[in-house]
Amino acid sequence: MTTIEPRPAVAAPLRFPAGFRWGTATAAYQIEGAARADGRTPSIWDTFSRTPGKVLNGDTGDTAADHYHRMREDVALLKELGVGDYRFSVAWPRVQPTGRGPANQRGLDFYRRLVDELLDAGIRPVVTLYHWDLPQELETGSDGDSAVGGGWPHRDTAERFADYTGYVAAALGDRVATWTTLNEPWCAAFLGYAAGVHAPGRTEPAAALRAAHHLNLAHGRATQALRAVLPASAEISLTLNLHALRPASRSEADREAVRRLDAVGNRIFLDPVFHGRLPADLVRDTAALTDWSFVLDGDLETIATAVDSLGINYYAPTVVAAGTRTAPPPSPSPWPGAAAHAEFRPPAGPRTAMGWPVDADGLYELLTRLRGELPHVPLLVTENGAAYHDYADPEGHVHDPERIAYLHGHLGAVARAIADGAAVRGYFLWSLLDNFEWAYGYSKRFGIVHVDFASQRRTLKDSARWYAGVVARNGLA
Ligand code: IFM
């Protein structure tokens, strides 16, 4: 009798929809360096990173990956990868050094050169206007008095941002089709002003809530400023690091903890931007901190100025249980109104070098949540990727199989979400280059291109070659 061996299941190659946008992402302070070149003045990140104890090893973005001087080489790398899109951010302190007054032409010229180089290479520029580098003078005032500046908790900062946006739009609007106002305002507001682990390092929860509102307002005012000068075909967007929150159990208490975090982590941005309202439960949860009287008539209408798409940055999910603490949390929390009611439960399983769990289902959960809540809003995954302890071997190769596995899993999750009806139009891998990872300095490598920071030599990691294959075949093998 012949026995028939079961054949191993072969997964069908996975294709993305025609026209799917493949890109990589970076941010100005993380890669540019040239901190004092051509009229640039310090941002809050220059000040923060130069403050002892704030960034690991005392690293700063002074040189970073020296992209300011190696821009052509980096665009050539993008071309080699074959990506059709490149997401980068403009440094406000390069373009408008003190955050007010006239534009600095030399700063604008750099971005004009970058955009031209990209277009010549057949790559679509995707511009982010704010990736956390607030001009220092808007934080402290020209005389060092924070009452004059005040940063994002101060309403005028939103107006300053609209002015700055006007300069960038006037300079690049004829050749940039996709615009993102803000990157991850949750981090800017709550890591910067509540937890104090990001610039400007303040630990004032009430000020952080004001900052979140003024970031929303800045987004709305910038959207209006862009609409005023850009052609109707321009795509205007906002990028949020939405939190994929999961209750640790089905208990009512754990689900209530998730509700609180969802209010101050997600709906604080989604509700004003897409529905022109503040979440009522957020206002209740934070009543001991603020009466929200800084939300003025007309603000919510401005914030809800229509956008064309929503960018999502996703790295890992968050598992939440009801808080059991009787004492205040040991360190300042980025979750005003929720911190005392929630505890984080690290999920089991593999982790990246950041200590973040590898869990692609969280991305699927977010994308399908948005399909349900914002069915008419096209989505872009504007960041996704992982840090690992990469190094160049003696032959000069950088093998990063864990990153490839991470990316493979997360692209699978995107494909599943699309198959289930989520309107995902593109994916931007974070990041093109190893770079300055904020409070972790250069100790964490997110790039698919390795950077030897001593020589500034770039080396494609295995993941870069793998991603080039994904882009070329518009799918996973
Ligand atoms: O490096 C950051 C990026 O600047 C914003 N999103 C998360 C990335 C990884 O931490």
Side-chain angles (χ1 to χ4, degrees):
M1 195 175 95
T2 21
T3 50
I4 301 172
E5 292 292 322
R7 283 200 297 172
V10 179
L14 209 157
R15 293 286 169 270
F16 283 75
F20 192 77
R21 293 167 71 173
W22 296 102
T24 64
T26 61
Y29 190 68
Q30 294 181 272
I31 64 165
E32 284 179 359
R36 296 177 182 84
D38 295 335
R40 182 186 180 279
T41 55
S43 74
I44 54 174
W45 266 99
D46 295 82
T47 307
F48 188 75
S49 62
R50 288 172 196 159
T51 307
K54 297 298 185 191
V55 173
L56 207 64
N57 302 320
D59 290 342
T60 71
D62 281 2
T63 307
D66 198 30
H67 170 73
Y68 194 76
H69 298 115
R70 291 163 199 268
M71 176 270 282
R72 293 211 158 80
E73 186 188 340
D74 293 338
V75 173
L77 289 170
L78 289 164
K79 198 169 174 186
E80 196 174 338
L81 293 174
V83 291
D85 286 70
Y86 174 55
R87 173 177 182 249
F88 63 92
S89 79
V90 172
W92 187 349
R94 260 189 219 295
V95 163
Q96 196 188 26
T98 58
R100 18 179 134 246
N104 171 31
Q105 192 57 44
R106 288 179 297 164
L108 286 170
D109 286 347
F110 169 70
Y111 295 106
R112 185 98 175 173
R113 287 197 299 278
L114 168 59
V115 165
D116 285 348
E117 192 75 15
L118 289 167
L119 293 174
D120 283 351
I123 299 167
R124 231 177 336 203
V126 174
V127 167
T128 297
L129 288 158
Y130 186 73
H131 199 124
W132 309 350
D133 38 7
L134 185 72
Q136 180 62 43
E137 280 202 21
L138 292 186
E139 179 62 36
T140 41
S142 50
D143 56 359
D145 174 359
S146 64
V148 177
W152 286 110
H154 191 62
R155 186 179 176 87
D156 187 54
T157 304
E159 221 36 59
R160 302 281 62 76
F161 184 65
D163 279 0
Y164 149 72
T165 297
Y167 288 132
V168 184
L172 306 180
D174 59 340
R175 46 195 75 188
V176 172
T178 308
W179 295 77
T180 300
T181 54
L182 308 176
N183 179 71
E184 301 184 359
W186 183 86
C187 296
F190 296 109
L191 299 181
Y193 291 91
V197 294
H198 276 193
R202 286 163 60 179
T203 51
E204 303 160 37
L209 293 166
R210 294 173 71 101
H213 175 63
H214 294 139
L215 281 154
N216 276 338
L217 188 60
H219 157 74
R221 290 287 294 110
T223 303
Q224 293 174 339
L226 290 169
R227 293 256 183 251
V229 296
L230 297 181
S233 57
E235 177 186 1
I236 301 176
S237 190
L238 162 75
T239 279
L240 301 175
N241 59 315
L242 293 178
H243 304 268
L245 301 163
R246 292 184 195 144
S249 78
R250 290 200 184 149
S251 75
E252 187 58 36
D254 288 358
R255 283 188 286 133
E256 168 63 6
V258 165
R259 181 203 59 72
R260 280 186 182 258
L261 294 184
D262 189 50
V264 72
N266 295 331
R267 288 181 285 113
I268 191 170
F269 302 108
L270 289 173
D271 282 15
V273 170
F274 292 100
H275 306 296
R277 63 174 187 236
L278 277 175
D281 57 339
L282 172 70
V283 175
R284 271 198 317 274
D285 294 346
T286 54
L289 294 168
T290 179
D291 61 4
W292 292 83
S293 54
F294 49 84
V295 180
L296 304 188
D297 281 354
D299 282 3
L300 290 163
E301 287 77 8
T302 301
I303 294 167
T305 305
V307 290
D308 303 298
S309 59
L310 173 64
I312 305 300
N313 292 354
Y314 172 83
Y315 292 87
T318 307
V319 179
V320 186
T324 51
R325 237 182 255 115
T326 44
S331 50
S333 162
W335 302 98
H341 303 266
E343 280 174 13
F344 299 98
R345 294 285 157 80
R351 285 163 188 277
T352 69
M354 296 294 285
W356 298 344
V358 177
D359 186 329
D361 288 344
L363 180 53
Y364 174 85
E365 289 157 20
L366 273 182
L367 295 172
T368 49
R369 168 184 177 173
L370 293 167
R371 173 202 60 195
E373 291 181 8
L374 301 170
H376 305 299
V377 180
L379 306 173
L380 292 167
V381 176
T382 37
E383 282 182 30
N384 176 239
Y388 287 105
H389 298 294
D390 308 316
Y391 59 91
D393 70 12
E395 283 76 47
H397 298 133
V398 184
H399 302 301
D400 56 344
E402 296 141 303
R403 181 174 290 103
I404 294 175
Y406 178 100
L407 296 170
H408 196 289
H410 286 73
L411 285 172
V414 174
R416 258 193 306 139
I418 294 173
D420 291 345
V424 188
R425 305 286 191 246
Y427 176 91
F428 293 74
L429 196 162
W430 184 271
S431 182
L432 173 66
L433 301 171
D434 289 337
N435 59 49
F436 175 83
E437 176 53 26
W438 308 113
Y440 296 91
Y442 299 100
S443 68
K444 307 292 179 202
R445 293 180 176 272
F446 273 90
I448 54 172
V449 175
H450 181 270
V451 178
D452 172 348
F453 292 105
S455 66
Q456 292 295 346
R457 195 178 50 241
R458 274 80 165 133
T459 305
L460 296 191
K461 302 181 189 177
D462 288 354
S463 58
R465 299 184 198 288
W466 176 85
Y467 190 54
V470 171
V471 173
R473 74 176 82 84
N474 194 33
L476 299 170

